[in-house]
């Protein structure tokens, strides 16, 4: 499909879309993927949409519990691993 669009010289039509729009769309997709993978890192099951994933993460962080939950321990281990990889 992309080759056919190139042969038909349709590239100029795609220049009408602002690069900021494309970057915003890709950023939002990336954030949704990040939120679902953060759920997996915390040992939770990803929800149906990004807003539910965000609510579940905040409810886990703000939960008033005396002992740390396994999800928070798994999250701390995952964050520690990411820090070691980036350093």
């Amino acid at each position: 499909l992309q080759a056919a669009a190139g042969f038909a010289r349709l590239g100029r039509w795609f220049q009408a879309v602002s690069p900021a729009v494309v970057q915003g769309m890709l950023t939002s997709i990336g954030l949704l993927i990040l939120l679902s993978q953060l759920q997996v890192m915390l040992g939770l099951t990803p929800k149906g949409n990004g807003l539910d994933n965000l609510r579940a993460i905040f409810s886990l962080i703000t939960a008033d519990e005396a002992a740390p939950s396994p999800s928070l321990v798994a999250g701390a281990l995952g964050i520690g691993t990411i820090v070691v990889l980036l350093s």
Side-chain angles (χ1 to χ4, degrees):
L1 184 63
Q2 188 173 2
F7 286 125
R9 304 215 181 258
L10 296 176
R12 293 185 183 170
W13 287 96
F14 296 105
Q15 290 178 345
V17 178
S18 171
V21 172
V22 175
Q23 288 175 353
M25 180 190 66
L26 293 176
T27 300
S28 64
I29 291 170
L31 286 174
L32 291 174
I33 293 171
L34 177 75
L35 286 175
S36 67
Q37 292 302 308
L38 191 59
Q39 291 278 57
V40 173
M41 184 178 77
L42 293 173
L44 304 172
T45 304
K47 308 291 185 227
N49 60 38
L51 191 56
D52 289 341
N53 286 335
L54 192 60
R55 284 185 192 133
I57 291 169
F58 281 130
S59 68
L60 180 68
I61 292 171
T62 59
D64 294 328
E65 296 180 10
S69 69
S71 296
L72 290 178
V73 174
L77 182 62
I79 291 171
T81 302
I82 292 170
V83 168
V84 168
L85 286 172
L86 293 177
S87 62

Coordinates of all heavy atoms in Angstrom, one line a residue:
L1 N 0.8 -1.2 0.0 CA 0.0 0.0 0.0 C 0.9 1.3 0.0 O 0.6 2.2 -0.7 CB -0.9 0.0 1.2 CG -1.9 1.1 1.3 CD1 -2.9 1.1 0.2 CD2 -2.7 1.0 2.6
Q2 N 2.0 1.2 0.8 CA 2.8 2.3 0.8 C 3.6 2.6 -0.5 O 3.7 3.7 -0.9 CB 3.9 2.2 2.0 CG 4.7 3.4 2.2 CD 5.6 3.2 3.5 OE1 5.6 2.2 4.1 NE2 6.3 4.2 3.8
A3 N 4.0 1.5 -1.1 CA 4.7 1.6 -2.4 C 3.7 2.1 -3.5 O 4.1 3.0 -4.3 CB 5.2 0.2 -2.9
A4 N 2.4 1.7 -3.4 CA 1.4 2.2 -4.4 C 1.2 3.7 -4.2 O 1.1 4.4 -5.1 CB 0.1 1.4 -4.3
A5 N 1.2 4.1 -2.9 CA 1.0 5.5 -2.6 C 2.2 6.3 -3.1 O 2.0 7.5 -3.6 CB 0.8 5.7 -1.2
G6 N 3.4 5.7 -3.1 CA 4.6 6.4 -3.6 C 4.5 6.6 -5.1 O 4.9 7.6 -5.6
F7 N 4.2 5.5 -5.8 CA 4.1 5.5 -7.2 C 3.0 6.5 -7.7 O 3.1 7.2 -8.7 CB 3.8 4.2 -7.8 CG 5.0 3.3 -7.7 CD1 5.0 2.0 -7.1 CD2 6.3 3.7 -8.3 CE1 6.1 1.2 -7.1 CE2 7.4 2.8 -8.2 CZ 7.3 1.6 -7.6
A8 N 2.0 6.6 -6.9 CA 0.9 7.6 -7.3 C 1.2 9.0 -6.8 O 0.4 9.9 -7.1 CB -0.4 7.1 -6.6
R9 N 2.3 9.2 -6.2 CA 2.8 10.5 -5.8 C 1.8 11.2 -4.8 O 1.4 12.3 -5.0 CB 3.0 11.4 -7.0 CG 4.0 10.9 -7.9 CD 4.9 12.0 -8.5 NE 5.8 11.4 -9.5 CZ 7.1 11.2 -9.2 NH1 7.6 11.5 -8.0 NH2 7.9 10.7 -10.1
L10 N 1.4 10.4 -3.8 CA 0.4 10.9 -2.8 C 1.1 11.5 -1.6 O 0.5 11.9 -0.6 CB -0.5 9.8 -2.4 CG -1.4 9.2 -3.5 CD1 -2.2 8.1 -2.9 CD2 -2.3 10.3 -4.0
G11 N 2.5 11.6 -1.6 CA 3.2 12.1 -0.4 C 2.9 13.5 -0.1 O 2.9 13.8 1.1
R12 N 2.5 14.3 -1.0 CA 2.2 15.7 -0.7 C 1.0 15.8 0.1 O 0.8 16.8 0.9 CB 2.1 16.5 -2.0 CG 3.4 16.6 -2.7 CD 3.3 17.5 -3.9 NE 4.7 17.4 -4.5 CZ 4.9 17.9 -5.7 NH1 4.0 18.5 -6.4 NH2 6.1 17.9 -6.2
W13 N 0.0 14.9 0.0 CA -1.2 14.9 0.8 C -0.9 14.7 2.2 O -1.6 15.2 3.1 CB -2.2 13.9 0.3 CG -2.8 14.2 -1.0 CD1 -2.4 13.8 -2.2 CD2 -3.9 15.1 -1.2 NE1 -3.2 14.4 -3.2 CE2 -4.1 15.2 -2.6 CE3 -4.7 15.9 -0.4 CZ2 -5.1 16.0 -3.2 CZ3 -5.7 16.6 -0.9 CH2 -5.9 16.7 -2.3
F14 N 0.2 13.9 2.5 CA 0.5 13.6 3.9 C 1.3 14.7 4.6 O 1.4 14.8 5.8 CB 1.3 12.3 4.0 CG 0.5 11.1 3.5 CD1 0.7 10.5 2.3 CD2 -0.5 10.6 4.3 CE1 -0.1 9.4 1.9 CE2 -1.3 9.5 3.9 CZ -1.1 9.0 2.7
Q15 N 1.8 15.7 3.8 CA 2.4 16.8 4.4 C 1.4 17.8 5.0 O 1.8 18.7 5.8 CB 3.3 17.6 3.3 CG 4.5 16.8 2.9 CD 5.3 17.5 1.8 OE1 4.8 18.4 1.2 NE2 6.5 17.0 1.6
A16 N 0.2 17.6 4.7 CA -0.9 18.5 5.3 C -1.1 18.2 6.8 O -1.6 19.1 7.5 CB -2.2 18.3 4.5
V17 N -0.7 17.0 7.2 CA -0.8 16.7 8.7 C 0.4 17.3 9.4 O 1.5 17.0 9.0 CB -0.9 15.2 8.8 CG1 -1.0 14.8 10.3 CG2 -2.1 14.6 8.1
S18 N 0.2 18.1 10.4 CA 1.2 18.7 11.2 C 2.1 17.6 11.9 O 1.5 16.7 12.5 CB 0.6 19.6 12.2 OG 1.6 20.1 13.1
P19 N 3.4 17.8 11.9 CA 4.2 16.9 12.7 C 3.9 16.8 14.2 O 4.0 15.8 14.8 CB 5.6 17.4 12.5 CG 5.6 18.2 11.2 CD 4.2 18.7 11.1
A20 N 3.4 17.9 14.7 CA 3.0 18.0 16.1 C 1.8 17.0 16.4 O 1.8 16.4 17.4 CB 2.6 19.4 16.5
V21 N 0.9 16.9 15.4 CA -0.2 16.0 15.6 C 0.3 14.6 15.6 O -0.2 13.8 16.4 CB -1.2 16.2 14.4 CG1 -2.3 15.2 14.4 CG2 -1.9 17.6 14.5
V22 N 1.2 14.3 14.7 CA 1.7 12.9 14.6 C 2.5 12.6 15.9 O 2.4 11.5 16.5 CB 2.6 12.7 13.4 CG1 3.3 11.4 13.4 CG2 1.8 12.9 12.1
Q23 N 3.3 13.5 16.4 CA 4.1 13.3 17.6 C 3.1 13.1 18.8 O 3.4 12.3 19.7 CB 5.0 14.4 17.9 CG 6.2 14.4 16.9 CD 7.1 15.6 17.1 OE1 6.8 16.6 17.8 NE2 8.2 15.6 16.3
G24 N 2.1 13.9 18.9 CA 1.1 13.8 20.0 C 0.4 12.4 20.0 O 0.2 11.8 21.0
M25 N 0.1 12.0 18.8 CA -0.6 10.7 18.7 C 0.4 9.6 19.1 O 0.0 8.7 19.9 CB -1.0 10.4 17.2 CG -1.7 9.1 17.0 SD -2.0 8.7 15.3 CE -0.3 8.5 14.7
L26 N 1.6 9.6 18.6 CA 2.6 8.6 19.0 C 2.9 8.6 20.5 O 3.1 7.6 21.1 CB 3.8 8.7 18.2 CG 3.7 8.4 16.7 CD1 5.0 8.7 15.9 CD2 3.2 7.0 16.5
T27 N 2.9 9.8 21.1 CA 3.2 9.9 22.5 C 2.0 9.3 23.3 O 2.3 8.6 24.3 CB 3.3 11.4 22.9 OG1 4.5 12.0 22.2 CG2 3.6 11.6 24.4
S28 N 0.8 9.6 22.9 CA -0.3 9.0 23.6 C -0.3 7.5 23.5 O -0.7 6.8 24.5 CB -1.6 9.6 23.1 OG -1.9 9.3 21.8
I29 N 0.0 7.0 22.4 CA 0.1 5.5 22.2 C 1.1 4.9 23.1 O 1.0 3.9 23.8 CB 0.3 5.1 20.7 CG1 -0.9 5.5 19.9 CG2 0.7 3.6 20.6 CD1 -0.7 5.3 18.4
G30 N 2.3 5.6 23.2 CA 3.4 5.2 24.0 C 3.0 5.2 25.5 O 3.4 4.3 26.3
L31 N 2.3 6.2 25.9 CA 1.9 6.3 27.3 C 0.9 5.2 27.7 O 0.9 4.6 28.8 CB 1.2 7.7 27.6 CG 2.2 8.8 27.7 CD1 1.5 10.1 27.9 CD2 3.2 8.6 28.9
L32 N 0.0 4.9 26.8 CA -1.0 3.8 27.0 C -0.2 2.4 27.1 O -0.5 1.6 28.0 CB -2.0 3.7 25.9 CG -3.0 4.9 25.9 CD1 -3.9 4.7 24.7 CD2 -3.8 4.9 27.2
I33 N 0.8 2.2 26.3 CA 1.6 1.0 26.4 C 2.3 1.0 27.7 O 2.4 -0.1 28.4 CB 2.5 0.9 25.2 CG1 1.7 0.6 23.9 CG2 3.5 -0.3 25.4 CD1 2.5 0.7 22.6
L34 N 2.9 2.1 28.1 CA 3.7 2.2 29.3 C 2.8 1.9 30.5 O 3.2 1.1 31.4 CB 4.3 3.6 29.5 CG 5.0 3.9 30.8 CD1 6.4 3.2 30.8 CD2 5.2 5.3 31.0
L35 N 1.6 2.4 30.6 CA 0.7 2.2 31.7 C 0.3 0.7 31.8 O 0.2 0.2 32.9 CB -0.6 3.0 31.6 CG -0.4 4.5 31.9 CD1 -1.7 5.3 31.6 CD2 0.0 4.7 33.3
S36 N 0.0 0.1 30.6 CA -0.3 -1.4 30.7 C 0.9 -2.2 31.1 O 0.7 -3.2 31.8 CB -0.9 -1.8 29.3 OG 0.1 -1.8 28.4
Q37 N 2.1 -1.8 30.7 CA 3.2 -2.6 31.1 C 3.6 -2.3 32.6 O 4.1 -3.2 33.2 CB 4.4 -2.3 30.2 CG 4.3 -2.8 28.8 CD 4.1 -4.3 28.8 OE1 4.8 -5.0 29.3 NE2 3.0 -4.7 28.1
L38 N 3.3 -1.1 33.0 CA 3.5 -0.9 34.5 C 2.6 -1.7 35.3 O 3.0 -2.2 36.4 CB 3.3 0.6 34.7 CG 3.7 1.2 36.1 CD1 5.2 1.0 36.3 CD2 3.3 2.6 36.2
Q39 N 1.4 -2.0 34.8 CA 0.5 -2.9 35.5 C 1.1 -4.3 35.7 O 1.1 -4.9 36.7 CB -0.8 -3.0 34.8 CG -1.7 -1.8 34.8 CD -2.4 -1.7 36.1 OE1 -1.9 -1.7 37.2 NE2 -3.7 -1.5 36.0
V40 N 1.7 -4.7 34.6 CA 2.3 -6.1 34.6 C 3.5 -6.1 35.5 O 3.7 -7.0 36.3 CB 2.8 -6.5 33.1 CG1 3.6 -7.7 33.1 CG2 1.5 -6.6 32.2
M41 N 4.3 -5.0 35.5 CA 5.5 -4.9 36.4 C 5.1 -5.0 37.9 O 5.7 -5.5 38.7 CB 6.3 -3.7 36.1 CG 7.6 -3.6 37.0 SD 8.5 -2.1 36.6 CE 7.6 -0.8 37.5
L42 N 3.9 -4.4 38.2 CA 3.4 -4.4 39.6 C 2.7 -5.7 39.9 O 2.2 -5.8 41.0 CB 2.5 -3.2 39.8 CG 3.1 -1.8 39.7 CD1 2.1 -0.7 39.7 CD2 4.1 -1.7 40.8
G43 N 2.6 -6.6 39.0 CA 2.0 -7.9 39.3 C 0.5 -7.8 39.2 O -0.2 -8.7 39.7
L44 N -0.1 -6.8 38.5 CA -1.5 -6.7 38.4 C -1.9 -7.1 37.0 O -1.1 -7.2 36.1 CB -1.9 -5.2 38.6 CG -1.5 -4.7 40.0 CD1 -1.8 -3.2 40.0 CD2 -2.3 -5.4 41.1
T45 N -3.2 -7.3 36.8 CA -3.7 -7.5 35.4 C -4.1 -6.2 34.8 O -4.8 -5.4 35.4 CB -5.0 -8.4 35.5 OG1 -4.6 -9.6 36.2 CG2 -5.5 -8.8 34.1
P46 N -3.6 -5.9 33.5 CA -4.0 -4.7 32.9 C -5.5 -4.6 32.7 O -6.1 -5.6 32.4 CB -3.2 -4.8 31.5 CG -2.1 -5.7 31.8 CD -2.6 -6.7 32.8
K47 N -6.0 -3.4 32.8 CA -7.4 -3.1 32.6 C -7.7 -2.9 31.2 O -6.8 -2.9 30.3 CB -7.8 -1.9 33.5 CG -7.4 -2.0 34.9 CD -8.2 -3.0 35.7 CE -7.8 -3.0 37.1 NZ -7.5 -4.2 37.7
G48 N -8.9 -2.6 30.9 CA -9.4 -2.4 29.5 C -8.9 -1.2 28.8 O -8.8 -1.1 27.6
N49 N -8.7 -0.1 29.6 CA -8.2 1.2 29.0 C -7.2 1.9 29.8 O -7.0 1.5 31.0 CB -9.4 2.1 28.7 CG -10.2 2.5 29.9 OD1 -9.6 2.7 30.9 ND2 -11.5 2.5 29.7
G50 N -6.6 2.9 29.3 CA -5.5 3.6 30.0 C -5.9 4.3 31.2 O -5.2 4.3 32.2
L51 N -7.1 4.9 31.3 CA -7.6 5.6 32.4 C -7.8 4.6 33.6 O -7.4 4.9 34.7 CB -8.9 6.3 32.1 CG -9.3 7.3 33.2 CD1 -8.3 8.4 33.4 CD2 -10.6 8.0 32.7
D52 N -8.3 3.4 33.3 CA -8.5 2.4 34.4 C -7.1 1.9 34.9 O -7.0 1.7 36.1 CB -9.3 1.3 33.9 CG -10.8 1.6 33.7 OD1 -11.2 2.6 34.3 OD2 -11.5 0.9 32.9
N53 N -6.2 1.8 34.0 CA -4.8 1.4 34.4 C -4.2 2.5 35.3 O -3.6 2.1 36.3 CB -3.9 1.2 33.2 CG -4.2 0.0 32.4 OD1 -4.7 -1.0 32.9 ND2 -3.8 0.0 31.2
L54 N -4.4 3.7 35.0 CA -3.9 4.8 35.8 C -4.5 4.8 37.2 O -3.9 5.0 38.2 CB -4.1 6.1 35.1 CG -3.3 7.4 35.7 CD1 -1.8 7.1 35.7 CD2 -3.7 8.6 34.8
R55 N -5.8 4.7 37.2 CA -6.6 4.6 38.5 C -6.1 3.5 39.4 O -6.0 3.6 40.6 CB -8.1 4.5 38.3 CG -8.7 5.7 37.8 CD -10.2 5.5 37.7 NE -10.8 6.7 37.0 CZ -11.7 6.5 36.0 NH1 -12.1 5.4 35.6 NH2 -12.2 7.6 35.5
A56 N -5.9 2.3 38.8 CA -5.4 1.1 39.5 C -4.0 1.4 40.1 O -3.8 1.0 41.3 CB -5.4 -0.1 38.7
I57 N -3.2 2.0 39.4 CA -1.8 2.3 39.9 C -1.9 3.3 41.1 O -1.3 3.1 42.1 CB -0.9 2.8 38.8 CG1 -0.6 1.7 37.8 CG2 0.4 3.4 39.3 CD1 0.0 2.2 36.5
F58 N -2.7 4.4 40.9 CA -2.8 5.4 42.0 C -3.5 4.8 43.2 O -3.1 5.1 44.4 CB -3.5 6.6 41.5 CG -2.7 7.5 40.7 CD1 -3.1 8.0 39.5 CD2 -1.4 7.9 41.2 CE1 -2.4 8.9 38.8 CE2 -0.7 8.8 40.4 CZ -1.1 9.3 39.2
S59 N -4.5 3.9 43.0 CA -5.1 3.3 44.2 C -4.2 2.3 44.9 O -4.2 2.2 46.1 CB -6.4 2.6 43.8 OG -6.1 1.4 43.0
L60 N -3.2 1.7 44.2 CA -2.2 0.8 44.8 C -1.2 1.7 45.6 O -0.9 1.3 46.7 CB -1.5 0.0 43.7 CG -0.5 -0.9 44.2 CD1 -1.1 -2.1 45.0 CD2 0.3 -1.5 43.1
I61 N -0.8 2.8 45.0 CA 0.2 3.7 45.7 C -0.4 4.3 46.9 O 0.2 4.4 48.0 CB 0.7 4.7 44.7 CG1 1.5 4.0 43.6 CG2 1.5 5.8 45.4 CD1 1.9 4.9 42.5
T62 N -1.7 4.8 46.9 CA -2.3 5.5 48.0 C -3.0 4.6 49.0 O -3.6 5.1 50.0 CB -3.3 6.5 47.4 OG1 -4.3 5.8 46.7 CG2 -2.7 7.5 46.6
A63 N -2.9 3.3 48.8 CA -3.6 2.4 49.8 C -2.9 2.5 51.1 O -1.6 2.5 51.2 CB -3.5 0.9 49.3
D64 N -3.6 2.6 52.2 CA -3.1 2.6 53.6 C -3.0 1.2 54.1 O -4.0 0.7 54.7 CB -4.0 3.5 54.5 CG -4.0 5.0 54.0 OD1 -2.9 5.4 53.5 OD2 -5.0 5.6 54.2
E65 N -1.8 0.6 54.0 CA -1.6 -0.7 54.5 C -0.4 -0.7 55.4 O 0.6 0.1 55.2 CB -1.4 -1.7 53.4 CG -2.6 -1.8 52.5 CD -2.4 -2.9 51.4 OE1 -1.4 -3.5 51.4 OE2 -3.2 -2.9 50.5
A66 N -0.4 -1.5 56.5 CA 0.7 -1.5 57.4 C 1.9 -2.2 56.7 O 3.1 -1.7 56.9 CB 0.3 -2.3 58.6
A67 N 1.8 -3.2 56.0 CA 2.9 -3.9 55.4 C 2.9 -3.7 53.9 O 1.8 -3.5 53.3 CB 2.7 -5.4 55.7
P68 N 4.0 -3.6 53.3 CA 4.1 -3.4 51.8 C 3.5 -4.6 51.1 O 3.7 -5.8 51.5 CB 5.5 -3.3 51.5 CG 6.3 -3.8 52.7 CD 5.4 -3.7 53.9
S69 N 2.7 -4.4 50.1 CA 2.0 -5.4 49.4 C 3.0 -6.0 48.4 O 4.0 -5.4 48.0 CB 0.8 -4.9 48.6 OG 1.2 -4.0 47.6
P70 N 2.8 -7.3 47.9 CA 3.7 -7.9 46.9 C 3.8 -7.0 45.7 O 4.8 -7.0 45.0 CB 3.1 -9.2 46.7 CG 2.2 -9.5 47.8 CD 1.8 -8.2 48.4
S71 N 2.7 -6.3 45.3 CA 2.7 -5.5 44.1 C 3.7 -4.3 44.3 O 4.4 -4.0 43.3 CB 1.3 -4.9 43.9 OG 0.4 -6.0 43.6
L72 N 3.8 -3.7 45.4 CA 4.7 -2.6 45.6 C 6.1 -3.1 45.7 O 7.1 -2.5 45.2 CB 4.4 -1.9 46.9 CG 3.1 -1.0 46.9 CD1 2.9 -0.4 48.2 CD2 3.2 0.0 45.8
V73 N 6.4 -4.3 46.2 CA 7.7 -4.9 46.2 C 8.1 -5.2 44.8 O 9.3 -4.9 44.4 CB 7.7 -6.2 47.1 CG1 9.1 -6.9 47.0 CG2 7.4 -5.8 48.6
A74 N 7.2 -5.8 44.0 CA 7.5 -6.1 42.6 C 7.8 -4.8 41.9 O 8.7 -4.7 41.0 CB 6.4 -6.9 42.0
G75 N 7.0 -3.8 42.1 CA 7.2 -2.5 41.5 C 8.6 -1.9 41.9 O 9.3 -1.3 41.0
A76 N 9.0 -1.9 43.1 CA 10.3 -1.4 43.6 C 11.4 -2.2 42.9 O 12.4 -1.6 42.5 CB 10.4 -1.5 45.1
L77 N 11.3 -3.5 42.8 CA 12.3 -4.3 42.1 C 12.4 -3.9 40.6 O 13.5 -3.8 40.1 CB 11.9 -5.8 42.3 CG 12.9 -6.8 41.7 CD1 14.3 -6.6 42.3 CD2 12.4 -8.2 41.8
G78 N 11.2 -3.7 40.0 CA 11.2 -3.3 38.6 C 11.8 -2.0 38.4 O 12.6 -1.8 37.4
I79 N 11.5 -1.0 39.2 CA 12.1 0.3 39.1 C 13.6 0.3 39.4 O 14.4 0.9 38.7 CB 11.4 1.3 40.0 CG1 10.0 1.5 39.5 CG2 12.1 2.6 40.2 CD1 9.1 2.3 40.5
G80 N 14.0 -0.5 40.3 CA 15.4 -0.7 40.6 C 16.2 -1.2 39.4 O 17.3 -0.8 39.1
T81 N 15.6 -2.2 38.8 CA 16.2 -2.8 37.6 C 16.3 -1.8 36.4 O 17.3 -1.7 35.8 CB 15.3 -4.0 37.1 OG1 15.2 -4.9 38.1 CG2 15.9 -4.7 35.9
I82 N 15.3 -1.0 36.3 CA 15.3 0.1 35.2 C 16.4 1.1 35.5 O 17.2 1.5 34.6 CB 14.0 0.8 35.1 CG1 13.0 -0.2 34.5 CG2 14.1 2.0 34.2 CD1 11.5 0.3 34.5
V83 N 16.6 1.5 36.8 CA 17.6 2.4 37.2 C 19.0 1.8 36.9 O 19.9 2.5 36.4 CB 17.5 2.8 38.7 CG1 18.7 3.5 39.2 CG2 16.2 3.6 38.9
V84 N 19.2 0.5 37.2 CA 20.5 -0.1 37.0 C 20.8 -0.2 35.5 O 21.9 0.1 35.0 CB 20.5 -1.5 37.6 CG1 21.7 -2.3 37.1 CG2 20.6 -1.4 39.1
L85 N 19.8 -0.5 34.7 CA 20.0 -0.5 33.2 C 20.3 0.8 32.6 O 21.1 0.9 31.7 CB 18.7 -1.1 32.5 CG 18.4 -2.5 32.7 CD1 17.1 -2.9 32.2 CD2 19.5 -3.3 32.0
L86 N 19.7 1.9 33.2 CA 20.0 3.2 32.6 C 21.3 3.9 33.1 O 21.8 4.8 32.5 CB 18.8 4.2 33.0 CG 17.5 3.8 32.3 CD1 16.4 4.8 32.8 CD2 17.6 3.9 30.8
S87 N 21.8 3.3 34.2 CA 23.1 3.9 34.7 C 24.3 3.3 34.1 O 24.3 2.5 33.4 CB 23.1 3.8 36.3 OG 23.1 2.4 36.6

